[in-house]
Amino acid sequence: MRHRSWAEPWKIKVVEPIRMTTRAERERHIREAGFNTFLIKSEDVYIDLLTDSGTSAMSDRQWAGMMMGDEAYAGSRNYYNLERSVREIYGYEELIPTHQGRGAEHLLSKLLIKPGDHVPGNMYFTTTRLHQELAGGTFHDVIIDEAHDPASEHPFKGNVDLKKLDALVQQVGADKVPYICVAVTVNLAGGQPVSLANLRAVAEYCRPRGIKVMLDATRAVENSWFIQQREPEMRDRTVAEILRMTCDLTDGATMSGKKDSLVNIGGWLGLRDSAIAAKAQNLVVVYEGLHTYGGLAGRDLEAMAIGIRESVEEEYIRSRIGQVYYLGERLQEAGVPIVTPIGGHAVFLDAAAMLPHIPRDQFPAQALAAALYVESGVRAMERGAVSAGRDPVTGENRYPKLELVRLTIPRRVYTQAHMDVVTESVISLFEDRKLVHGLRFAYEPEYLRFFQARFEPVGAPVVLESGAHAGASVDRHFVLNS
Ligand code: PM9
């Protein structure tokens, strides 16, 4: 059959202008930002691939819903609409809204973890692990080894290694393991999915031992699409059915609605156990707001209630991940080292493979993200040693096997032409990669350092001297001296 192109199942109604800067301007901006892309002003970014969190374009239905916000302090109708969406689509009876995902992680960690407990998970996530540690727990990575290998083609690189989980439980005792957190997909492994068979095996292992299974459902819709594509017996199931089957295996979930649910703000904690839910409803008023708004306006609750339903439409999810694949495949064709298989929300550049001349303690991924911005105005994010932070006991830097730069695709925001520009920008940087130099900390905050840290160049020059790039009119010869 002849190949037929696909297109997004929407057309554009409102546009937001973006502006290309000159290379000299970007050189100044990155320096002022301490070589941290989080500290660059959004108006100085051309194509913003920092994150897929809260960056989605909402639909006309969602915007219409925003006008139906019931801003009563208590019992807003939008809360009940959200409750209905979560019950029908995710299947959790008990809903505690929070301002975003980490609000739910905070509540869950405080409720279930006692000091001295151990919490296994399929690779760490920054905010998740921090809340577990702040509650007195110790995180243990029980993901399969393939997840730490950027070149492994394992179709479900997010899977839990049951042997690692069992070894931990044997070592510390099941009574010290309140729950396992299973993230679907696994962000820091490259947006890699977990199979339904694996999650079922985890649940079967945990249930008789009294260990709860908590889902990080942040990108569970995207995970469901991968299950549909890659798990043969799931081929004829809808994404919505697979999502529900996934959640049915778990005791609860934390959710950042800012990703899958196509909203700019919002999250929730979903539970089945009404006794734990009552405690969570009590705790949410301490940290977020009343249990029927959880730190959100009524209009935000409504946008999320609608976004949840839109997120499981087959044509939408196909085009969403299709766009990520479009970018990833163009980069692969050009020989740029990326994490494989391509993930659900982002293409991850393998900075360690691209910049072998930069030692790990000079943060190659941080340097690469800074260089990409200078090269092209494309903003990406470091996902390597800077994100991993320091070990809370030894104070030493943690060096995960993966040292990555994440090109994160916002949902329904950019076109294929933007992806082409990003492709050209990365290829151009790849050709000049030897000109990228390392960084060291100039300022290192205590918590989640990647957000606010500042860096300075090690030696000189730092980033690029030359190279073709998207802003063809700008000066192609510059040096950033330390
Ligand atoms: N993820 C991301 O860009 C935003 C903050 S970190 C730069 O990937 C998972 C799997 C996430 C996540 C946020 C959260 C926290 C929990 N789990 O940002 O608090 O990817 O809504 O969610 C980000 P909130």
Side-chain angles (χ1 to χ4, degrees):
M1 201 172 71
R2 264 187 72 202
H3 171 77
R4 298 292 293 262
S5 294
W6 57 269
E8 289 80 2
W10 39 260
K11 56 185 177 176
I12 297 167
K13 184 157 11 196
V14 177
V15 296
E16 177 184 346
I18 52 176
R19 190 176 67 92
M20 186 61 182
T21 49
T22 66
R23 177 174 282 231
E25 285 170 333
R26 294 195 296 276
E27 186 185 339
R28 183 161 49 78
H29 296 321
I30 197 72
R31 195 184 284 286
E32 286 170 1
F35 299 91
N36 184 347
T37 51
F38 274 98
L39 302 180
I40 299 169
K41 286 183 187 155
S42 156
E43 65 188 13
D44 297 327
V45 172
Y46 181 42
I47 298 175
D48 202 348
L49 305 188
L50 184 71
T51 177
D52 63 329
S53 181
T55 52
S56 298
M58 292 206 296
S59 68
D60 50 2
R61 285 177 287 178
Q62 286 176 293
W63 280 108
M66 296 280 281
M67 291 303 291
M68 301 298 284
D70 168 3
E71 306 304 344
Y73 189 90
S76 158
R77 79 170 152 262
N78 313 114
Y79 167 77
Y80 296 103
N81 290 344
L82 178 63
E83 186 183 57
R84 211 172 306 119
S85 286
V86 171
R87 282 183 179 163
E88 286 174 22
I89 306 292
Y90 288 88
Y92 300 111
E93 267 305 297
E94 307 281 356
L95 170 74
I96 295 96
T98 57
H99 76 285
Q100 57 184 84
R102 72 198 70 177
E105 292 171 344
H106 179 208
L107 299 180
L108 182 73
S109 304
K110 264 190 136 46
L111 282 170
L112 296 188
I113 300 172
K114 293 188 298 303
D117 279 351
H118 298 267
V119 188
N122 52 345
M123 199 172 272
Y124 85 99
F125 185 71
T126 52
T127 58
T128 320
R129 181 176 64 188
L130 179 60
H131 280 296
Q132 292 164 356
E133 289 173 352
L134 290 174
T138 303
F139 167 81
H140 297 266
D141 186 5
V142 294
I143 204 166
I144 57 172
D145 287 342
E146 286 87 340
H148 297 282
D149 173 5
S152 162
E153 293 285 347
H154 193 294
F156 290 105
K157 267 170 123 172
N159 279 357
V160 172
D161 184 329
L162 271 294
K163 285 204 193 78
K164 288 184 191 171
L165 175 60
D166 186 49
L168 173 70
V169 173
Q170 299 282 346
Q171 189 198 329
V172 302
D175 57 328
K176 291 277 176 208
V177 183
Y179 65 91
I180 178 172
C181 173
V182 184
V184 295
T185 56
V186 183
N187 191 349
L188 295 186
Q192 301 297 327
V194 174
S195 73
L196 203 59
N198 183 253
L199 188 62
R200 193 173 296 120
V202 169
E204 281 166 7
Y205 176 87
C206 288
R207 204 142 286 144
R209 291 170 175 81
I211 300 169
K212 292 187 170 42
V213 179
M214 303 305 299
L215 198 68
D216 180 339
T218 297
R219 299 182 182 85
V221 177
E222 292 170 2
N223 197 79
S224 301
W225 187 83
F226 282 118
I227 289 175
Q228 187 195 59
Q229 299 300 308
R230 295 182 188 168
E231 224 166 330
E233 56 276 27
M234 292 293 122
R235 195 68 193 90
D236 297 326
R237 298 284 192 159
T238 65
V239 165
E241 283 171 337
I242 296 168
L243 176 64
R244 191 56 193 273
M245 292 167 86
T246 303
C247 296
D248 283 352
L249 291 167
T250 70
D251 297 288
T254 54
M255 176 68 186
S256 171
K258 300 172 73 172
K259 284 81 167 177
D260 264 356
S261 304
L262 299 160
V263 288
N264 305 124
I265 194 72
W268 46 264
L269 173 63
L271 293 166
R272 300 193 195 287
D273 184 318
S274 53
I276 302 174
K279 287 187 183 164
Q281 274 159 351
N282 189 216
L283 206 56
V284 77
V285 298
V286 181
Y287 294 107
E288 305 272 324
L290 193 72
H291 58 279
T292 55
Y293 75 84
L296 297 168
R299 55 181 171 267
D300 300 326
L301 297 166
E302 189 62 31
M304 190 154 53
I306 297 169
I308 286 173
R309 294 181 189 280
E310 291 183 358
S311 72
V312 293
E313 288 168 8
E314 300 279 321
E315 284 303 304
Y316 154 71
I317 190 68
R318 176 168 170 264
S319 79
R320 188 284 184 278
I321 298 184
Q323 188 178 45
V324 178
Y325 266 67
Y326 178 83
L327 173 62
E329 283 167 1
R330 299 291 82 71
L331 292 176
Q332 278 180 317
E333 281 160 16
V336 176
I338 65 169
V339 173
T340 56
I342 296 164
H345 66 300
V347 175
F348 290 70
L349 305 177
D350 184 349
M354 259 173 97
L355 306 176
H357 57 286
I358 301 184
R360 286 302 295 278
D361 63 0
Q362 293 180 16
F363 308 117
Q366 188 74 33
L368 189 65
L372 180 63
Y373 172 72
V374 175
E375 168 72 8
S376 61
V378 173
R379 170 155 73 170
M381 188 200 292
E382 190 267 4
R383 296 272 72 162
V386 177
S387 292
R390 290 179 184 273
D391 184 294
V393 178
T394 66
E396 294 296 319
N397 276 320
R398 295 189 258 218
Y399 289 106
K401 290 212 176 92
L402 299 175
E403 178 73 13
L404 310 173
V405 168
R406 189 181 71 176
L407 302 167
T408 339
I409 315 300
R411 296 168 182 79
R412 305 192 295 207
V413 170
Y414 291 115
T415 65
Q416 198 155 307
H418 290 109
M419 295 303 113
D420 289 339
V421 170
V422 173
T423 304
E424 289 160 20
S425 303
V426 173
I427 292 171
S428 168
L429 180 61
F430 182 57
E431 286 163 359
D432 282 344
R433 60 194 180 278
K434 291 208 174 75
L435 301 175
V436 181
H437 289 245
L439 298 168
R440 63 174 161 248
F441 277 105
Y443 164 65
E444 185 183 349
E446 187 177 354
Y447 300 117
L448 302 174
R449 64 185 185 179
F450 59 95
F451 281 128
Q452 293 154 332
R454 301 184 71 82
F455 298 84
E456 58 193 17
V458 177
V462 184
V463 265
L464 308 165
E465 287 167 341
S466 65
H469 49 80
S473 62
V474 301
D475 178 10
R476 296 178 63 202
H477 299 278
F478 89 113
V479 177
L480 280 177
N481 291 308
S482 57

